Amino acid sequence: MPVNSDPVTLLSRALDQTGAIIVGIREDQHQLPTPCRSWDVSELLAHLVHGLGAFTERASGGTPSWNDPIAAVEGSYVEAYRTGSAALIRTWRAAGDLSGTTEIPGMGEVAKRFPVDQQIAEIAVHGWDLAVATGQSRDLDPEIGDTAITWARATLAPGFRGSEDEGKVFGPEVDVPDDALLYDRLAGFFGHRPT
């Protein structure tokens, strides 16, 4: 796992990167399809905002439920995302030292920074989804991308993959050329099809 950057600083950069993509989304693009399975742009934006709240609960030591329905975002997606991002970073900063290891039920001993790296990966790949869907640049921060793909390759076992009908969060890996852009390779590993 890349360790050159403080994980919370790297998460903050990932949030800012995706936030800049969100700012670039026009109102007339909200119903466009995304590479993220069956979600359009507005549904993916709602998922991201909802996810920030769940990530913040995790950062504070709680156990978020990912099965709760995703509520519609009231007001601006941009402001809701900024508010959620700031709360998440504040909570991780308050959590203290993330060096060393910890136990996670069902996974055993993992690095304390594991959930931060998971969040970096989630934010990075969904930022890519939105960039592709709305015609924005896919040439994104390589350190964030490296951290995300390293976490994914170490964590996303075949049992997590399958169809939505099977209740699987991640689709089958999509073959992407080795010389493709880093984020296209990241997205392919998550089961998102670069277009």
Side-chain angles (χ1 to χ4, degrees):
M1 184 65 64
V3 293
N4 293 337
S5 290
D6 164 64
V8 180
T9 298
L10 197 57
L11 175 60
S12 181
R13 283 168 46 195
L15 289 163
D16 288 348
Q17 175 173 265
T18 295
I21 295 166
I22 292 171
V23 167
I25 297 171
R26 301 188 314 267
E27 189 68 34
D28 65 344
Q29 295 178 315
H30 282 202
Q31 305 310 311
L32 293 175
T34 73
C36 191
R37 304 239 214 168
S38 58
W39 287 341
D40 66 16
V41 168
S42 64
E43 290 165 332
L44 183 50
L45 287 168
H47 168 75
L48 274 168
V49 170
H50 173 78
L52 291 173
F55 287 162
T56 301
E57 184 177 349
R58 172 67 182 90
S60 65
T63 304
S65 171
W66 289 101
N67 297 322
D68 294 342
I70 296 176
V73 173
E74 298 291 332
S76 163
Y77 285 111
V78 171
E79 288 308 314
Y81 181 85
R82 283 181 181 152
T83 299
S85 296
L88 177 58
I89 294 302
R90 277 194 312 272
T91 305
W92 274 125
R93 289 282 180 226
D97 181 22
L98 292 173
S99 62
T101 60
T102 188
E103 291 283 328
I104 292 183
M107 296 193 70
E109 190 174 19
V110 299
K112 278 189 180 179
R113 67 177 279 166
F114 179 93
V116 180
D117 290 324
Q118 176 187 17
Q119 293 170 16
I120 290 168
E122 170 94 358
I123 297 297
V125 77
H126 284 323
W128 178 92
D129 288 326
L130 291 170
V132 169
T134 60
Q136 298 185 55
S137 175
R138 296 188 224 183
D139 189 13
L140 302 167
D141 186 311
E143 188 177 8
I144 293 166
D146 282 338
T147 299
I149 203 165
T150 300
W151 177 87
R153 285 181 174 150
T155 307
L156 294 187
F160 293 120
R161 298 179 183 275
S163 70
E164 288 178 290
D165 291 341
E166 296 170 309
K168 300 295 184 178
V169 176
F170 303 103
E173 183 177 356
V174 174
D175 287 331
V176 178
D178 290 340
D179 61 352
L181 289 171
L182 170 61
Y183 280 74
D184 288 4
R185 287 183 277 124
L186 171 66
F189 192 81
F190 270 83
H192 302 199
R193 187 169 299 282
T195 56

